[in-house]
C-alpha cells in the first residue's frame, strides 16, 4: 500500500511486473516471487474495495483489435482499425486511456478470437468487409485491458452481438467463460468487465466438418480444466452439454482444422453461422 501511495503521488503507472522488481529491491524479505505480489494486489483491492488501476497499477496488454472501428484518444489522430493490416492495432494497457477513447463503428458484430494466428488470418482476409465486424483477440486467456476494451465496446454499442470463436476444447471454453463471466482469480474485480458473449464456434455440431485425423486426444490439463468448469455454478446448461461431449469423446479440435476445406473457408464458416444465428 505504501508503494502504491508513492506511485499515485508521483502520478505514475506501473505494471505488476515492474512493481514486483521494485518490491524485490526495496522489500526482499516480504516479496520473493511475482505470484506473491499478484496475490497481495488482490488482497489490497479487496481490502480497499477499489480497482487495481485506481492504485496506479496498469494492465499489461497482449490484445489486438482490427476491423470496422475508429479509435481516437483525446487530442490525437483517429486510428482506423481496418487499415492496420493483419497485425491489427495494439490495445493499450492504460485503462484510463481506454475509458476516454472516442469510438465509432458501422459494424454489426464483434467477433472475439481466441488465437492470434486465426485473428491474423481473418484480418488479412479482411473478413470485416464481408461481415461488418470488429475483431478482437487477447492471444489466449484474456488480460484485463482486452476485457476492459470489449466491455467498453459493449457499453458503447449495446446492440452489437459479441460472438466468440475458440478451439473446441476445455481451454477454449474457459477463455470464452472468462470474457463472459469474469475471472475468479480477480477477486472483487472478477465480474467488473464481464460481457454477454455468445459461443459461435467451434462446437460439437461442427465436428461433421472436421476430418477424423484432425482430432487430437485430450491432455491431462484439458481434463483438469473441464473438471473446474463443471464445478462452476454459473456455467450454463448448454455449455455443460458441450463440455460433457468433449470429455466423453476424449478429443479436442482446433480452429485450424477447418483449413481442411481451404484457407478461405474460415470466413465462409463464420458467415454461415452468423446468417443462421447459430450461436449460444
Amino acid at each position: 500500500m505504501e508503494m502504491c501511495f508513492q506511485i499515485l503521488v508521483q502520478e505514475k503507472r506501473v505494471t505488476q511486473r515492474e512493481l514486483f522488481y521494485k518490491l524485490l529491491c526495496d522489500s526482499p524479505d516480504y516479496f520473493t516471487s511475482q505470484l506473491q505480489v499478484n496475490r497481495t494486489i488482490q488482497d489490497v483491492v479487496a481490502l480497499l474495495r477499489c480497482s487495481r488501476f485506481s492504485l496506479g497499477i496498469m494492465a499489461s496488454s497482449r490484445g489486438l483489435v482490427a476491423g470496422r472501428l475508429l479509435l481516437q484518444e483525446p487530442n490525437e489522430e483517429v486510428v482506423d482499425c481496418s487499415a492496420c493490416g493483419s497485425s491489427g492495432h495494439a490495445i493499450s494497457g492504460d485503462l484510463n486511456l481506454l475509458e476516454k477513447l472516442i469510438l465509432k463503428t458501422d459494424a454489426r458484430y464483434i467477433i472475439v478470437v481466441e488465437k492470434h494466428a486465426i485473428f491474423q488470418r481473418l484480418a488479412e482476409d479482411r473478413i470485416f468487409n464481408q461481415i461488418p465486424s470488429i475483431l478482437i483477440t487477447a492471444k489466449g486467456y484474456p488480460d484485463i485491458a482486452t476485457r476492459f476494451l470489449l466491455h467498453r465496446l459493449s457499453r458503447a454499442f449495446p446492440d452489437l452481438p459479441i460472438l466468440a470463436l475458440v478451439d473446441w476444447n476445455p481451454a477454449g471454453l474457459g477463455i470464452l467463460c472468462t470474457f463472459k463471466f469474469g475471472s475468479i482469480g480477480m477477486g472483487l474485480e472478477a465480474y467488473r468487465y464481464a460481457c454477454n458473449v455468445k459461443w459461435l464456434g467451434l462446437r460439437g455440431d461442427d465436428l461433421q466438418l472436421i476430418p477424423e485425423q484432425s482430432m487430437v486426444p485430450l491432455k491431462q490439463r484439458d481434463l483438469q480444466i473441464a473438471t473446474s468448469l463443471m464445478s462452476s455454478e454459473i456455467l450454463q446448461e448448454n455449455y455443460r452439454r458441450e463440455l460433457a461431449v468433449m470429455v466423453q469423446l476424449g478429443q479436442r479440435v482446433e480452429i485450424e482444422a477447418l483449413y481442411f476445406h481451404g484457407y478461405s473457408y474460415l470466413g465462409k464458416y463464420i458467415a454461415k453461422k452468423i446468417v443462421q444465428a447459430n450461436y449460444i
Side-chain angles (χ1 to χ4, degrees), residues 161-166 168 173 176-177 180-181 195-206 235-243 246 269 273-274 276-280:
I162 305 174
L163 311 175
L165 182 64
V166 298
W168 192 72
L173 179 56
L176 186 156
C177 288
K180 188 178 182 74
F181 303 118
C195 300
N196 184 23
V197 181
K198 302 292 186 181
W199 192 356
L200 182 71
L202 292 174
R203 299 208 316 273
D205 58 4
D206 297 319
L235 191 68
Q236 58 201 60
E237 189 56 38
N238 47 3
Y239 288 12
R240 287 182 185 278
R241 289 196 294 269
E242 286 277 345
L243 194 55
M246 293 178 201
Y269 164 83
K273 285 269 194 178
I274 288 176
Q276 295 175 345
N278 187 3
Y279 37 83
I280 57 178

Side-chain angles (χ1 to χ4, degrees), residues 19-59:
L19 185 58
F20 164 61
Y21 278 109
K22 179 64 173 168
L23 289 166
L24 189 64
C25 296
D26 291 7
S27 311
D29 295 335
Y30 289 100
F31 299 100
T32 58
S33 72
Q34 181 73 59
L35 184 61
Q36 280 182 311
V37 173
N38 296 351
R39 286 175 175 169
T40 306
I41 290 169
Q42 288 178 19
D43 291 341
V44 174
V45 164
L47 179 67
L48 300 181
R49 303 189 69 81
C50 65
S51 69
R52 64 191 64 204
F53 187 75
S54 65
L55 296 173
I57 300 170
M58 184 172 61

